[in-house]
Amino acid sequence: SNIPTHQIQSYYVSLLQSCIAQKAVSPGKQIHALISQMGFGFHPVLATKLVHLYSACDCLHNAHQLFDRIPQRNLFLWNVLIRGYAWNGPYEVAIELYYRLLEFGLVPDNFTFPFALKACSALSAIEEGRRIHEDVIRNKWETDVFVGAALIDMYAKCSCVVNARQVFDKILERDVVLREKRVVSWNAMITGYAMHGHSTKALDLFEKMKDEVQPDHITFVGVLSACSRGGLFDEGRMFFESMVRDYHIDPSVQHYTCMVDLLGHSGRLDEACDLIMQMRVKPDPGVWGALLNSCKLHGHVKLAELALEKLIELEPHDAGNYVILSNIYARAANWEGVAKLRKLMIDRGIKKSIACSWIEVKNKAHAFLSGDASHPNCDEIYAKLKWLEGRMKEAGYVPGTESVFHDVENDEKANMICCHSERLAIAFGLINTPDGTRLLITKNLKICDDCHIAIKFISKITEREITVRDVNRYHHFKDGICSCGDYW
C-alpha cells in the first residue's frame, strides 16, 4: 500500500509487455481483471497495452470493446486496432476504422497507411486503395519505403501491376542513403510480378536489383516463385543453388515450397519427394500441399496419398487437402477411394469449405456462393450464364466434369459446374459494367479446371479481360488465353 501509484502502473505495463511478446492472452486477461479492480482500467498506457495484447492474440472482440471505452485514444492505439483487423479480418473493419480515425481529426502515419492498405489488398478493394493512396500523397508519405512497399503490394494484389511499378519507380528516385532500406521495395515489386506470372519481368528486375542492393531471403522467395509460376525449371534450380552458395542464405520452408512446386509441376515428382526428405527444416503444410497439387496435375495417386497422410498429421481438419485427393481418385474413376475419403471426413466432422467469389462494382463488393440464388439480380445473372453457355458450346466448349468427384450423371455434373461462384461473379460483372471493362474476381479457394477452361472461352466471346485471383495465384484471361499458359 506504500508503493507509489506510478510504480504499480509501471509494473503492470512491464507484465503486459511480456504477455504481448509471448502472445499470452490468459495471463493478460487476469492482469486486466486486477488492473480494473485497482481502478487503472482506463489508464492510457495500460489500456493501450491491453488493446495491443488482445489484437496480437486475435481476440479482436475484446480489443475493440475496450478500445471503444477508452476516453482518450491516440494514434498508436488506433494503429494497434487497425493492424489487428488488417492481419486477421474482417478486413472491412480495418478500412472502416481508418476512415473513423480521419473523422476524429487524427493524421495517419507510416504505420497507419500500410495496415489500411493491407486490408485493401486482402479484399482486392482497388477503389478504397486508390483513395488511401491519395491520402498518402497528401500527407507526403509516398516515398517512405514501407508505405511504398504497401502501395506496391496493394496495387499488385488488386491486379494493377502498372500502378505498382509506377510507385516503385518513384521510390527509387530517393537519395542513396536509403539504399539498404530499399530492399523491401525491390522485394515487393519482384513478388508482385511473380504473383501475376510475369516471370521474365521479375527476373529482369532481380538482375537490376543486384547492382543496387543486397538480395535477402524474401527476395529469393519472390525469384523462386517467379520461376515456379513460369515453369522455368533450370533457372529456378540455378537461383536456389546461387542463394546458398553466393549469398549464404540457408533455405527456409518457403524456398523449399517453391522448389517442390517447380519440380512437381515439371513432372519431377520423385525428385520433389526426395527434396522434401532432405530438407534442413521441418516440412510444413505448404511443402506437402505443393506436392499434393503437383500429384493432382500429373495424376500420381501413390505420392498424393503420402502427401495427404503427412498433411493430416499437420492440419487434420483442413478439408481442402481431402478434396484434392478426392479429385485425383475421381479422375481415375476410383469411386471407392472417393467414398472412403468422404466417410473419413464425416467421421472426423470435417466439412468442405464453401466456395465464395466476389467482385467490386461501383465501390461495392458483391459476393457469390456456388449455386447462389440470393442475389437481387439472380434472374439476370442466370440468364447471362445460359446465354454464355450456348455461345461457349458453339465455340467448342465441352464441360470437364472430371473435376466433380460426386458419382452422378454427367448432365448433373455439368449443371453443378456451370453455377460455380466465380462464374456467377463474372456474369454479374458483365451485366453491370460497360463493354470493354476489365473484371477482377477474387475467390477464396483454387479455381477448378473446368472454370479455367470456361473463362478462357468467356474472355474471347465477350472481348473482356478477366482476372481471377484465387487462393494460389492470379489468372489473366484475354482473347481466350490465360497468362499462366495453363501451367498452374
Side-chain angles (χ1 to χ4, degrees):
S1 59
N2 295 324
I3 302 173
T5 299
H6 72 275
Q7 287 188 14
I8 297 173
Q9 291 169 344
S10 178
Y11 170 72
Y12 282 120
V13 166
S14 299
L15 282 178
L16 286 171
Q17 188 58 49
S18 297
C19 292
I20 291 167
Q22 299 174 50
K23 293 189 176 181
V25 71
S26 294
K29 286 182 176 179
Q30 294 173 20
I31 294 168
H32 187 182
L34 287 170
I35 290 170
S36 298
Q37 287 175 14
M38 297 178 72
F40 301 148
F42 298 111
H43 180 274
V45 178
L46 288 170
T48 299
K49 291 292 181 186
L50 284 166
V51 172
H52 192 177
L53 171 68
Y54 289 134
S55 296
C57 298
D58 197 15
C59 298
L60 288 166
H61 176 73
N62 301 74
H64 207 148
Q65 212 172 35
L66 178 58
F67 173 87
D68 285 337
R69 295 172 62 194
I70 297 171
Q72 294 181 335
R73 293 172 290 199
N74 59 22
L75 183 60
F76 177 80
L77 187 56
W78 283 89
N79 285 344
V80 164
L81 191 60
I82 292 171
R83 181 188 184 279
Y85 283 109
W87 280 93
N88 302 300
Y91 306 110
E92 297 90 340
V93 180
I95 297 172
E96 288 169 10
L97 283 166
Y98 171 79
Y99 286 118
R100 278 183 60 196
L101 176 152
L102 297 180
E103 288 171 6
F104 275 85
L106 293 172
V107 180
D109 63 8
N110 58 336
F111 291 96
T112 319
F113 287 123
F115 300 151
L117 289 165
K118 180 175 175 57
C120 295
S121 300
L123 293 169
S124 298
I126 183 60
E127 294 307 320
E128 297 292 353
R130 290 190 194 280
R131 285 199 198 95
I132 294 172
H133 188 179
E134 289 173 4
D135 292 343
V136 167
I137 295 169
R138 193 177 300 113
N139 288 280
K140 300 180 180 179
W141 283 109
E142 191 177 23
T143 51
D144 178 88
V145 285
F146 297 106
V147 175
L151 282 166
I152 293 167
D153 181 68
M154 183 277 293
Y155 278 121
K157 287 180 178 173
C158 291
S159 195
C160 299
V161 185
V162 172
N163 296 111
R165 184 58 192 255
Q166 289 169 346
V167 173
F168 172 76
D169 288 340
K170 206 160 201 174
I171 292 169
L172 290 198
E173 294 171 4
R174 296 211 64 187
D175 196 293
V176 290
V177 173
L178 294 175
R179 180 169 287 183
E180 291 305 314
K181 287 186 178 180
R182 283 184 351 212
V183 67
V184 297
S185 305
W186 289 90
N187 289 347
M189 195 65 243
I190 289 171
T191 303
Y193 278 137
M195 69 175 67
H196 286 279
H198 300 323
S199 302
T200 303
K201 289 182 178 179
L203 298 185
D204 287 347
L205 193 61
F206 174 65
E207 291 303 317
K208 292 178 183 177
M209 175 187 184
K210 291 189 292 184
D211 296 331
E212 294 284 332
V213 295
Q214 178 83 355
D216 62 13
H217 69 286
I218 297 173
T219 312
F220 280 98
V221 172
V223 168
L224 293 173
S225 177
C227 294
S228 175
R229 298 200 189 292
L232 305 175
F233 174 75
D234 292 333
E235 292 87 341
R237 175 166 279 176
M238 178 192 72
F239 285 126
F240 185 79
E241 292 172 355
S242 173
M243 176 184 75
V244 178
R245 182 187 63 246
D246 302 326
Y247 295 93
H248 309 292
I249 297 172
D250 291 328
S252 69
V253 72
Q254 290 91 350
H255 300 124
Y256 281 116
T257 300
C258 292
M259 287 304 297
V260 170
D261 189 61
L262 181 56
L263 286 164
H265 274 72
S266 302
R268 296 170 168 85
L269 290 167
D270 290 333
E271 283 185 60
C273 191
D274 289 342
L275 179 63
I276 294 173
M277 299 306 175
Q278 296 165 16
M279 283 174 57
R280 300 176 189 175
V281 293
K282 185 178 179 180
D284 73 350
V287 172
W288 289 110
L291 181 63
L292 183 60
N293 277 315
S294 297
C295 290
K296 179 187 174 185
L297 184 66
H298 297 285
H300 200 306
V301 177
K302 291 297 180 185
L303 269 183
E305 290 173 337
L306 170 65
L308 181 64
E309 181 184 325
K310 297 295 184 181
L311 283 164
I312 288 174
E313 291 175 9
L314 295 168
E315 44 183 23
H317 300 291
D318 189 321
N321 299 324
Y322 298 84
V323 170
I324 292 172
L325 184 55
S326 290
N327 281 326
I328 296 171
Y329 282 149
R331 288 181 178 183
N334 181 357
W335 300 113
E336 183 181 341
V338 173
K340 181 181 175 183
L341 271 180
R342 189 177 296 137
K343 183 177 184 302
L344 183 62
M345 291 176 72
I346 293 169
D347 290 346
R348 296 185 175 184
I350 300 166
K351 294 182 179 179
K352 183 180 175 182
S353 301
I354 298 172
C356 179
S357 298
W358 59 95
I359 180 173
E360 183 179 332
V361 175
K362 296 176 182 176
N363 302 331
K364 182 179 179 182
H366 297 262
F368 300 88
L369 306 178
S370 291
D372 203 338
S374 62
H375 197 278
N377 300 115
C378 176
D379 292 341
E380 289 179 83
I381 290 168
Y382 279 93
K384 190 68 172 180
L385 283 177
K386 194 72 177 173
W387 179 83
L388 286 170
E389 187 181 347
R391 294 292 304 276
M392 287 159 60
K393 285 181 178 177
E394 289 173 9
Y397 165 73
V398 177
T401 54
E402 67 275 3
S403 63
V404 179
F405 59 86
H406 296 291
D407 189 10
V408 296
E409 295 298 322
N410 279 341
D411 285 348
E412 188 175 344
K413 288 181 180 181
N415 288 333
M416 292 168 70
I417 289 171
C418 77
C419 298
H420 278 185
S421 61
E422 56 266 58
R423 298 202 200 185
L424 296 173
I426 289 170
F428 177 82
L430 291 172
I431 294 165
N432 290 280
T433 58
D435 291 344
T437 305
R438 182 177 66 90
L439 303 180
L440 172 59
I441 313 298
T442 305
K443 184 174 182 179
N444 67 331
L445 302 176
K446 186 178 178 182
I447 187 173
C448 80
D449 296 347
D450 184 71
C451 283
H452 191 268
I453 294 168
I455 299 169
K456 287 196 288 185
F457 277 95
I458 294 170
S459 71
K460 189 169 186 178
I461 290 164
T462 62
E463 298 182 347
R464 295 279 197 121
E465 185 178 347
I466 302 169
T467 299
V468 178
R469 172 189 176 183
D470 72 6
V471 71
N472 282 348
R473 66 174 299 158
Y474 288 74
H475 297 268
H476 298 276
F477 301 90
K478 187 178 181 181
D479 299 326
I481 298 170
C482 181
S483 60
C484 73
D486 300 331
Y487 182 91
W488 57 289

